[in-house]
Amino acid sequence: MYGRSSGRVFNVINVSYIQSRTKRVWVRKPLGSPMAKSKIFRIAPKPILPDDEKAEIKRLYDNYKSSMKSIRQYFFEQSLKQAESGEVAQMKHRLEEEEHSRLMEENHLENEKTAILREERLKMQAEKTQKYVLASLIKKEKEAGLHDIQIEAFLAKQMAIPFIKPENIENAIEEALANPVNFNFAIDLDGYVYRGKETSVEKIPEDKRERLRSI
């Protein structure tokens, strides 16, 4: 149709057109080209099928799926039978049994080692706990003994303080009236302390005055 250029048309794959002597011959749109602007908003009409045709298509599709599933299951069962009855399968089964026995024996030995290590660890932990408890008990006994000593010393100190007893209450009252105590005091700018409310500075010699201690 196009003379010598027809061979070139069918050999070219990814070019948009081929220049001929008379006109351009379009081959196809390049693979990376986008959709044409004239077809961007074009919506292809959805084919409308009758209900009976849809039902028939669905029936055929369901039959196809069921048949293919049955065939696959049949081939799978046949392959299992051949695999179980074959010599290779028996040898494989025997090797698996031997491997399983070896692993079980290895697991048994490992469990024995782990049990021995566990017993040693528990024994060491029990000894450590026993030592800790014993040390705690000794410490508590020492603290209790020290507390008792402190209580006894406190009681002895309290007992040494002279208390007013019922039989000595009259003497204590007479002594308190005879020797009144005044807790008032004054401090001057030099740090001297003057006890009493009516104490005169001139009556106390300078060498007998009480002075605050510097911290």
Side-chain angles (χ1 to χ4, degrees), residues 68-79:
M68 292 302 297
K69 185 177 180 181
S70 301
I71 292 172
R72 284 195 296 268
Q73 184 66 24
Y74 174 76
F75 284 131
F76 178 71
E77 292 176 357
Q78 293 297 324
S79 63

Side-chain angles (χ1 to χ4, degrees), residues 37-51:
K37 295 182 179 180
S38 60
K39 297 181 180 179
I40 291 178
F41 300 103
R42 181 182 298 177
I43 300 175
K46 186 176 180 180
I48 300 175
L49 298 176
D51 295 338

Side-chain angles (χ1 to χ4, degrees), residues 2-14:
Y2 299 105
R4 296 180 180 179
S5 62
S6 61
R8 295 174 58 194
V9 172
F10 295 104
N11 291 331
V12 177
I13 297 177
N14 198 17

Side-chain angles (χ1 to χ4, degrees), residues 76-139:
F76 178 71
E77 292 176 357
Q78 293 297 324
S79 63
L80 288 180
K81 290 180 180 179
Q82 293 178 2
E84 292 176 356
S85 60
E87 183 179 356
V88 177
Q90 294 179 0
M91 184 180 297
K92 183 178 179 181
H93 182 70
R94 186 174 64 256
L95 292 176
E96 289 178 354
E97 289 291 335
E98 293 176 356
E99 181 70 13
H100 179 69
S101 301
R102 186 184 65 81
L103 292 176
M104 290 297 293
E105 183 66 23
E106 184 177 352
N107 188 24
H108 181 68
L109 296 175
E110 190 67 25
N111 289 337
E112 290 181 352
K113 293 180 182 179
T114 305
I116 295 173
L117 294 176
R118 187 188 303 111
E119 290 179 359
E120 294 178 355
R121 186 180 72 253
L122 292 176
K123 185 177 179 181
M124 293 176 60
Q125 187 175 0
E127 293 177 355
K128 186 177 179 180
T129 305
Q130 185 178 2
K131 291 180 181 179
Y132 176 76
V133 172
L134 183 60
S136 300
L137 292 175
I138 294 173
K139 183 178 179 181

Side-chain angles (χ1 to χ4, degrees), residues 194-206:
Y194 303 97
R195 304 287 177 179
K197 186 176 181 181
E198 298 178 356
T199 303
S200 178
V201 179
E202 291 79 7
K203 294 181 180 180
I204 302 175
E206 188 175 354

